[in-house]
Amino acid sequence: MQRIIQGTRIAIVRGDITKYETDAIVNAANSSLLGGGGVDGAIHRAGGPAILEECRKIRSRQGECETGDAVVTTAGRLPANIVVHTVGPVYRGGNEGEERLLASCYVRSIEEARAAGAKRIAFPNISTGIYGYPKEAAAQTAWTTVRGLLVNPSADSIETFLEEVAFICYDEENERLYRSLLEREDR
Protein backbone atom coordinates (compact mmCIF):
# COMPACT_ATOMS: atom_id res chain seq x y z
CA MET A 1 0.00 0.00 0.00
CA GLN A 2 1.31 3.43 -0.87
CA ARG A 3 0.38 7.09 -1.28
CA ILE A 4 2.10 10.20 -2.56
CA ILE A 5 2.33 13.03 -0.04
CA GLN A 6 3.89 16.27 -1.23
CA GLY A 7 5.76 14.43 -4.00
CA THR A 8 7.15 11.71 -1.73
CA ARG A 9 5.93 8.14 -2.01
CA ILE A 10 4.94 6.68 1.36
CA ALA A 11 4.94 2.87 1.30
CA ILE A 12 3.70 0.41 3.91
CA VAL A 13 5.39 -2.95 3.33
CA ARG A 14 5.08 -6.18 5.28
CA GLY A 15 8.39 -7.98 5.21
CA ASP A 16 12.01 -8.19 6.19
CA ILE A 17 13.85 -4.86 6.14
CA THR A 18 17.13 -6.63 5.37
CA LYS A 19 15.72 -7.59 1.97
CA TYR A 20 14.17 -4.24 1.03
CA GLU A 21 15.92 -2.48 -1.86
CA THR A 22 16.42 1.18 -1.05
CA ASP A 23 19.14 3.80 -0.57
CA ALA A 24 19.06 3.86 3.25
CA ILE A 25 17.94 1.19 5.68
CA VAL A 26 17.34 2.42 9.22
CA ASN A 27 18.54 0.18 12.03
CA ALA A 28 16.82 0.25 15.41
CA ALA A 29 20.19 0.07 17.13
CA ASN A 30 21.26 0.03 20.73
CA SER A 31 23.55 2.74 22.05
CA SER A 32 26.65 0.54 21.80
CA LEU A 33 26.23 0.26 18.00
CA LEU A 34 27.74 -3.22 18.28
CA GLY A 35 24.70 -5.25 17.29
CA GLY A 36 22.08 -6.89 19.40
CA GLY A 37 18.81 -8.70 18.99
CA GLY A 38 15.74 -8.03 16.84
CA VAL A 39 16.17 -5.71 13.86
CA ASP A 40 19.65 -4.69 15.02
CA GLY A 41 20.94 -8.26 15.04
CA ALA A 42 19.25 -9.08 11.73
CA ILE A 43 20.83 -6.06 10.02
CA HIS A 44 24.30 -6.86 11.36
CA ARG A 45 23.98 -10.53 10.33
CA ALA A 46 22.65 -9.80 6.85
CA GLY A 47 24.99 -6.88 6.20
CA GLY A 48 28.12 -8.66 7.36
CA PRO A 49 31.25 -7.56 9.22
CA ALA A 50 31.74 -4.27 7.36
CA ILE A 51 28.87 -2.71 9.32
CA LEU A 52 30.30 -3.71 12.68
CA GLU A 53 33.75 -2.50 11.64
CA GLU A 54 32.39 0.96 10.83
CA CYS A 55 30.33 1.02 14.03
CA ARG A 56 33.51 0.35 16.01
CA LYS A 57 35.24 3.26 14.27
CA ILE A 58 32.32 5.55 15.12
CA ARG A 59 32.46 4.43 18.77
CA SER A 60 36.18 5.11 18.96
CA ARG A 61 35.59 8.65 17.62
CA GLN A 62 32.48 9.66 19.55
CA GLY A 63 31.55 6.94 22.03
CA GLU A 64 28.08 5.49 22.17
CA CYS A 65 25.17 6.85 20.15
CA GLU A 66 22.71 8.81 22.28
CA THR A 67 19.01 7.96 22.37
CA GLY A 68 17.22 9.89 19.63
CA ASP A 69 20.39 10.40 17.58
CA ALA A 70 21.63 8.63 14.43
CA VAL A 71 24.86 7.70 12.66
CA VAL A 72 25.60 6.25 9.20
CA THR A 73 27.64 3.25 8.09
CA THR A 74 28.03 1.18 4.97
CA ALA A 75 25.25 -1.29 4.23
CA GLY A 76 27.69 -4.13 3.63
CA ARG A 77 25.82 -6.93 1.84
CA LEU A 78 22.36 -5.36 2.34
CA PRO A 79 20.41 -4.17 -0.74
CA ALA A 80 21.00 -0.52 0.20
CA ASN A 81 23.78 2.04 0.02
CA ILE A 82 23.89 2.91 3.72
CA VAL A 83 22.54 1.94 7.11
CA VAL A 84 21.36 4.70 9.41
CA HIS A 85 21.66 3.48 13.00
CA THR A 86 19.29 5.22 15.40
CA VAL A 87 18.76 4.56 19.08
CA GLY A 88 15.13 4.54 20.11
CA PRO A 89 13.92 5.13 23.65
CA VAL A 90 13.13 2.42 26.16
CA TYR A 91 9.47 2.89 27.04
CA ARG A 92 9.01 3.75 30.72
CA GLY A 93 5.33 4.63 30.81
CA GLY A 94 5.39 7.58 28.44
CA ASN A 95 6.23 10.35 30.89
CA GLU A 96 10.00 10.49 30.44
CA GLY A 97 10.25 12.14 27.03
CA GLU A 98 9.88 8.91 25.07
CA GLU A 99 7.70 10.43 22.35
CA ARG A 100 10.12 13.32 21.77
CA LEU A 101 13.06 10.91 21.61
CA LEU A 102 11.26 8.55 19.23
CA ALA A 103 10.32 11.45 16.94
CA SER A 104 13.96 12.54 17.02
CA CYS A 105 14.98 9.09 15.73
CA TYR A 106 12.94 9.68 12.56
CA VAL A 107 14.11 13.27 12.08
CA ARG A 108 17.78 12.48 12.70
CA SER A 109 17.64 9.38 10.47
CA ILE A 110 16.25 11.43 7.60
CA GLU A 111 18.85 14.17 8.18
CA GLU A 112 21.70 11.63 8.16
CA ALA A 113 20.29 9.86 5.08
CA ARG A 114 20.03 13.18 3.29
CA ALA A 115 23.61 14.12 4.18
CA ALA A 116 24.72 10.78 2.70
CA GLY A 117 22.84 11.42 -0.54
CA ALA A 118 19.96 8.98 -0.02
CA LYS A 119 16.66 9.65 -1.77
CA ARG A 120 14.81 6.58 -0.47
CA ILE A 121 14.70 5.44 3.15
CA ALA A 122 13.19 2.39 4.87
CA PHE A 123 12.25 2.40 8.55
CA PRO A 124 11.59 -0.52 10.89
CA ASN A 125 9.18 -0.19 13.82
CA ILE A 126 11.65 1.56 16.14
CA SER A 127 11.51 0.76 19.87
CA THR A 128 8.52 -1.61 19.62
CA GLY A 129 10.46 -4.79 20.36
CA ILE A 130 12.49 -5.31 23.51
CA TYR A 131 12.35 -1.55 24.26
CA GLY A 132 8.64 -2.01 24.94
CA TYR A 133 7.16 1.02 23.18
CA PRO A 134 3.45 0.37 22.56
CA LYS A 135 3.08 -0.35 18.85
CA GLU A 136 0.10 1.94 18.25
CA ALA A 137 1.74 4.91 19.97
CA ALA A 138 5.05 4.28 18.16
CA ALA A 139 3.32 4.08 14.77
CA GLN A 140 1.45 7.31 15.46
CA THR A 141 4.65 9.12 16.44
CA ALA A 142 6.50 7.81 13.38
CA TRP A 143 3.66 8.75 11.06
CA THR A 144 3.07 12.19 12.56
CA THR A 145 6.78 13.03 12.50
CA VAL A 146 7.44 11.94 8.92
CA ARG A 147 4.18 13.36 7.58
CA GLY A 148 4.88 16.64 9.37
CA LEU A 149 8.25 16.92 7.67
CA LEU A 150 6.59 16.35 4.30
CA VAL A 151 3.61 18.68 4.58
CA ASN A 152 5.26 21.51 6.51
CA PRO A 153 8.37 22.11 4.43
CA SER A 154 11.14 24.41 5.57
CA ALA A 155 13.83 26.00 3.43
CA ASP A 156 15.86 22.78 3.49
CA SER A 157 12.85 20.49 3.50
CA ILE A 158 13.04 16.76 3.03
CA GLU A 159 10.36 17.01 0.38
CA THR A 160 12.89 18.57 -1.97
CA PHE A 161 15.07 15.46 -1.97
CA LEU A 162 13.14 12.50 -0.57
CA GLU A 163 11.50 10.24 -3.15
CA GLU A 164 10.30 7.44 -0.87
CA VAL A 165 9.74 6.69 2.80
CA ALA A 166 8.93 3.03 3.44
CA PHE A 167 7.67 1.72 6.75
CA ILE A 168 8.72 -1.94 6.78
CA CYS A 169 6.48 -3.92 9.11
CA TYR A 170 7.75 -7.30 10.23
CA ASP A 171 4.46 -8.33 11.81
CA GLU A 172 0.77 -8.12 10.96
CA GLU A 173 -0.10 -5.81 13.86
CA ASN A 174 2.36 -3.10 12.83
CA GLU A 175 1.29 -3.40 9.20
CA ARG A 176 -2.36 -2.93 10.19
CA LEU A 177 -1.51 0.13 12.33
CA TYR A 178 0.47 1.84 9.55
CA ARG A 179 -2.12 1.01 6.90
CA SER A 180 -4.78 2.58 9.10
CA LEU A 181 -2.72 5.77 9.39
CA LEU A 182 -2.15 5.87 5.65
CA GLU A 183 -5.84 5.29 4.90
CA ARG A 184 -6.73 8.35 6.99
CA GLU A 185 -4.97 10.43 4.34
CA ASP A 186 -7.86 9.64 1.99
CA ARG A 187 -10.52 10.97 4.34
Side-chain angles (χ1 to χ4, degrees):
M1 174 175 250
Q2 61 185 0
R3 296 284 186 285
I4 304 295
I5 298 176
Q6 297 295 101
T8 300
R9 182 171 58 147
I10 306 295
I12 310 301
V13 179
R14 174 116 180 255
D16 180 346
I17 198 166
T18 68
K19 294 178 170 48
Y20 194 75
E21 293 186 31
T22 189
D23 297 333
I25 289 176
V26 176
N27 179 19
N30 62 50
S31 61
S32 77
L33 300 175
L34 300 179
V39 171
D40 193 16
I43 285 173
H44 275 270
R45 283 188 301 278
I51 296 173
L52 181 59
E53 183 178 319
E54 284 193 30
C55 284
R56 285 186 173 136
K57 288 177 183 174
I58 291 168
R59 278 186 51 110
S60 69
R61 278 195 316 268
Q62 74 176 42
E64 293 189 340
C65 187
E66 296 293 322
T67 301
D69 203 1
V71 296
V72 173
T73 67
T74 181
R77 298 185 303 246
L78 294 169
N81 300 325
I82 61 170
V83 173
V84 180
H85 305 265
T86 191
V87 181
V90 173
Y91 190 76
R92 294 186 168 90
N95 296 317
E96 295 187 31
E98 295 99 311
E99 183 177 8
R100 176 186 53 78
L101 290 167
L102 184 58
S104 180
C105 289
Y106 288 90
V107 172
R108 289 290 298 125
S109 293
I110 289 170
E111 289 172 348
E112 290 294 322
R114 178 183 192 174
K119 294 189 177 296
R120 299 174 304 134
I121 187 168
F123 286 100
N125 307 117
I126 299 169
S127 284
T128 62
I130 195 156
Y131 284 12
Y133 212 110
K135 291 179 180 182
E136 186 171 4
Q140 184 64 58
T141 297
W143 181 260
T144 301
T145 302
V146 171
R147 188 182 182 289
L149 290 169
L150 294 172
V151 300
N152 297 312
S154 62
D156 60 347
S157 171
I158 66 166
E159 61 111 5
T160 62
F161 83 94
L162 202 54
E163 295 172 2
E164 179 190 69
V165 174
F167 293 102
I168 311 299
C169 303
Y170 190 73
D171 63 36
E172 186 178 334
E173 181 182 5
N174 274 309
E175 179 187 28
R176 180 182 48 75
L177 291 167
Y178 278 90
R179 283 181 183 271
S180 171
L181 292 165
L182 188 60
E183 287 168 357
R184 287 186 206 166
E185 288 296 313
D186 295 333
R187 296 181 193 152

